[in-house]
Amino acid sequence: LWPVITDHALYARLALNLKAAEGLTPNGPGFRRTCTDSVGRTWSETCTLWEPGRRFDVNVDLEDYPYPLQLVQGSWAVEPGDGDQSEVTMRFAIRPDTGLRGRLFVPIMQAMFGPILRRIARGWDRAAAG
């Protein structure tokens, strides 16, 4: 599954909130990518942890981030399971802006993330099955 979860273009095709995700540098420690949301707003992300075949983490560069958040970090991991099975996890850490927009945005984001992440997981499963 590692090649599937590190395919940024596939991730963007599967995530309903994204139009594009493009690697600016090759995958590996410190890689950088840009993401563009469904309305055309773009931001950068930088890899902060790279464990080949197992896990990578990113920090979102908030300078151009269009959402009312003070912190956004993501983690994607693959763990071996029984037989030919594997477990993929996606974890996100966020901290909202202190204003009203930030407090209102978080429940909306949480409600949207479940369906988005389930769609990504189903797409990864299909891609891995070939």
Side-chain angles (χ1 to χ4, degrees), residues 30-120:
F31 83 76
R32 293 189 44 79
R33 69 180 177 190
T34 60
C35 294
T36 305
D37 70 11
S38 56
V39 295
R41 299 173 293 195
T42 300
W43 63 91
S44 297
E45 299 179 347
T46 302
C47 178
T48 57
L49 175 73
W50 183 264
E51 296 177 4
R54 186 173 173 277
R55 176 178 163 184
F56 73 95
D57 295 355
V58 300
N59 280 347
V60 173
D61 180 356
L62 297 173
E63 183 176 323
D64 296 321
Y65 199 60
Y67 305 105
L69 299 170
Q70 295 177 4
L71 169 80
V72 183
Q73 298 172 326
S75 181
W76 292 260
V78 177
E79 293 292 334
D82 297 330
D84 64 348
Q85 301 291 309
S86 296
E87 180 178 77
V88 175
T89 57
M90 293 179 272
R91 291 192 169 96
F92 298 91
I94 63 167
R95 183 179 323 123
D97 284 348
T98 56
L100 179 61
R101 275 186 36 155
R103 289 194 310 272
L104 293 174
F105 181 74
V106 170
I108 293 167
M109 184 178 181
Q110 288 173 327
M112 290 175 50
F113 253 52
I116 290 169
L117 296 179
R118 282 190 292 279
R119 177 184 159 95
I120 292 167

